[in-house]
Amino acid sequence: MAHTKAEKNHTQNTGSDNTFSYSGYFDVFKGTEVAVTLDGISLTYTASTINDSASPREYTVDTAAKTIHIGGAALANVGGVTRKIVIRPVTDMGSPTPRATYTPGASITSSDLNNNQLQLMRKAMEYDDTKMSTTGDTM
C-alpha cells in the first residue's frame, strides 16, 4: 500500500457532509497520526466532539473506516473556487515511542516486532515523499 497524502475537493466525500476517505492512501495506528489542511490551513485534531465554531476548524478521525470528518459549516465552493483538502500521514515516532517496548524477562511477540518495523517503514515513506529530488525540485 502506498503511504502518501490524499488530495480531495469538497465534492469528493463519502456521501456524508464533510466526511472524506483516506482509504487506499495510508494506514495509521491512531487518529493523531492524520494531519489535515483545508485550503492550505492546518486544522485541529480532536478526539472528542467537534466544536463547530472552532477556528481553525476541528476534525476527527475514524481509523477503522479510514475517514476524517471536518467540523463547521458545509464545505461549499468559495467564490467559485474549489476547496482543497489534503489528508496526510504523520507517523508518531515520539521521543522515541516504539509501538511496543520490551522489558527483561518479557515475551517478545511477532505482532510487537511487526508493528515496530511498520512504524519505521511508514516514517521512512513519509520522509521519501517530502524530500527533494537530486534531478531538480523547487521549494
Side-chain angles (χ1 to χ4, degrees), residues 118-138:
L118 190 55
Q119 181 183 32
L120 292 171
M121 288 172 41
R122 287 178 181 170
K123 193 61 169 182
M125 285 187 277
E126 290 164 26
Y127 171 74
D128 196 50
D129 189 47
T130 60
K131 71 179 183 181
M132 294 181 69
S133 170
T134 57
T135 61
D137 271 337
T138 57

Side-chain angles (χ1 to χ4, degrees), residues 7-19:
E7 294 186 12
K8 310 276 184 178
N9 65 45
H10 82 284
T11 59
Q12 297 172 312
N13 62 27
T14 64
S16 300
D17 287 342
N18 296 3
T19 301

Side-chain angles (χ1 to χ4, degrees), residues 82-101:
T82 300
R83 315 249 358 229
K84 183 178 179 181
I85 299 149
V86 176
I87 308 165
R88 63 184 177 83
V90 183
T91 301
D92 179 11
M93 295 301 285
S95 57
T97 306
R99 292 299 306 155
T101 56

Side-chain angles (χ1 to χ4, degrees), residues 18-87:
N18 296 3
T19 301
F20 304 87
S21 172
Y22 62 85
S23 181
Y25 290 92
F26 58 86
D27 286 316
V28 295
F29 290 111
K30 55 189 177 181
T32 55
E33 293 183 321
V34 179
V36 180
T37 60
L38 173 62
D39 297 333
I41 298 170
S42 293
L43 305 186
T44 304
Y45 170 79
T46 183
S48 60
T49 303
I50 291 174
N51 174 357
D52 282 328
S53 61
S55 180
R57 290 178 185 234
E58 293 181 340
Y59 67 97
T60 59
V61 178
D62 182 337
T63 56
K66 297 184 181 179
T67 59
I68 59 108
H69 180 79
I70 300 172
L75 299 174
N77 284 347
V78 177
V81 177
T82 300
R83 315 249 358 229
K84 183 178 179 181
I85 299 149
V86 176
I87 308 165

